[in-house]
Amino acid sequence: MAIGVFDSGVGGLTVHRELTQRFPQRDFIYLADQAHAPYGGRGGEDIVELTKAGCERLFEAGASVVVLACNTASAIALRRLQQTWIPGLRERLGRPVNVLGIIVPTIEAATGLPWSFEAERPQEGEKIQAVDITGVFCTAATAISRVFEIEIDKRREDIAVFCEPCPGLAGLIELGAPVEELTVVVNDHVDALRRRIGRHPDKAILGCTHYEIIAELFAAALPPGTALIEQPTAVADALDRYFARHPEYALGDSGRRDFLTTGQAGPQSDLVARFWGAPLTFDQA
Ligand code: DGL
């Protein structure tokens, strides 16, 4: 048995790397749905079906828990899969399985509050001043879902959230575009967000795992000192707590690492190799 990590492409490697450092003995299977990447411009039903197919492939390969290392899939597909698919799948497979997302831990890190926290709504006439601005860079589908605005606002009315959709950016990263080209796109989006807010945000969330691969370009485009919420760390922390509460999941203990793609098997781009610290090859799923 193993921990499955799923993304439309190479973005989920940012989460995978943190998880394997946190749980080095565990077995991991990474699946990139590169035949269908990017997901960010797709419709909701499409994202649900593709995510389900990817998870199915990972459960077949021996995963007991699949982490959706993709904000788009977590925002659009996670709840549907947990509510309508996983219960029947557990019965069919006759073993405990689950799908987990990465947005809940990110909201917890961004708010400094547990997911279960319920803020008291302000009294009639009581005004809450937003003191902190958090900018979220994400795919079009994640921005349309408004998940970051809604869930942060429920817990922290003093944080104003602005999402900047970056259509096309995940696709460029997937293709391993040159850093110069990526820098122009990142600078444009950081500037667009600044113009919309009237100033730069105090904190930023890279709300698409692909963007974490080029986190240093975002850090360079934002003013020095802008706090970047560390999504991979937040996910690893949450998973640690989840496994402590759920010893029923068999996670393997031989340190196996498999990397699969629904697209073309072979070495990933130089951009990925630079992030990874070594060339990385995916096998055919
Ligand atoms: N890496 C994914 C995310 O976090 C998906 C990007 C895409 O496929 O558009 O949103």
Side-chain angles (χ1 to χ4, degrees):
M1 292 294 130
I3 300 170
V5 180
F6 177 75
D7 184 35
S8 61
V10 295
L13 291 170
T14 59
V15 173
H16 179 280
R17 185 169 74 175
E18 187 68 30
L19 295 185
T20 51
Q21 282 168 7
R22 194 68 70 93
F23 312 105
Q25 266 87 49
R26 297 307 184 190
D27 293 345
F28 280 87
I29 312 169
Y30 186 87
L31 176 63
D33 188 16
Q34 289 176 311
H36 305 103
Y39 280 10
R42 290 180 177 273
E45 282 309 307
D46 227 13
I47 294 170
V48 172
E49 283 312 311
L50 291 171
T51 304
K52 183 175 162 193
C55 291
E56 205 149 31
R57 178 73 189 78
L58 281 164
F59 289 128
E60 268 167 27
S64 56
V65 169
V66 172
V67 179
L68 299 182
C70 174
N71 290 273
T72 310
S74 300
I76 310 295
L78 178 67
R79 192 172 306 173
R80 270 269 291 282
L81 298 186
Q82 282 178 336
Q83 289 178 351
T84 65
W85 181 53
I86 288 294
L89 186 71
R90 281 186 189 136
E91 260 176 50
R92 182 153 62 81
L93 296 177
R95 61 183 172 96
V97 290
N98 208 359
V99 183
L100 305 173
I102 59 172
I103 291 184
V104 168
T106 309
I107 303 276
E108 290 183 323
T111 57
L113 293 168
W115 185 250
S116 55
F117 179 86
E118 276 182 41
E120 273 182 31
R121 305 310 293 178
Q123 305 288 316
E124 220 18 62
E126 189 189 348
K127 262 211 153 114
I128 300 233
Q129 199 78 35
V131 290
D132 234 10
I133 297 183
T134 296
V136 183
F137 299 93
C138 59
T139 66
T142 301
I144 291 166
S145 80
R146 296 186 54 81
V147 63
F148 284 102
E149 290 97 320
I150 294 167
E151 297 298 341
I152 291 176
D153 183 63
K154 267 189 206 165
R155 294 164 177 82
R156 290 281 305 268
E157 293 204 327
D158 57 329
I159 300 178
V161 182
F162 289 84
C163 270
E164 170 68 12
C166 312
L169 182 54
L172 285 176
I173 295 167
E174 196 59 42
L175 292 171
V179 169
E180 301 69 38
E181 190 179 346
L182 294 168
T183 305
V184 172
V185 176
V186 168
N187 288 348
D188 277 357
H189 283 297
V190 168
D191 202 49
L193 185 64
R194 180 191 59 76
R195 278 184 277 116
R196 196 143 52 81
I197 304 174
R199 67 170 175 91
H200 280 293
D202 306 294
K203 288 187 187 145
I205 297 174
L206 301 186
C208 167
T209 51
H210 279 72
Y211 306 167
E212 190 69 34
I213 289 182
I214 54 163
E216 75 278 11
L217 300 187
F218 278 95
L222 289 160
T226 310
L228 279 181
I229 307 288
E230 296 282 339
Q231 186 169 55
T233 313
V235 174
D237 290 345
L239 207 57
D240 215 352
R241 295 192 296 270
Y242 182 81
F243 290 147
R245 290 197 307 275
H246 292 279
E248 69 270 27
Y249 294 103
L251 307 170
D253 57 6
S254 62
R256 181 164 64 99
R257 306 281 182 264
D258 291 343
F259 295 93
L260 306 175
T261 178
T262 58
Q264 182 122 28
Q268 297 304 299
S269 67
D270 290 348
L271 183 70
V272 168
R274 269 201 302 284
F275 161 79
W276 196 248
L280 182 64
T281 298
F282 287 176
D283 297 323
Q284 193 66 59

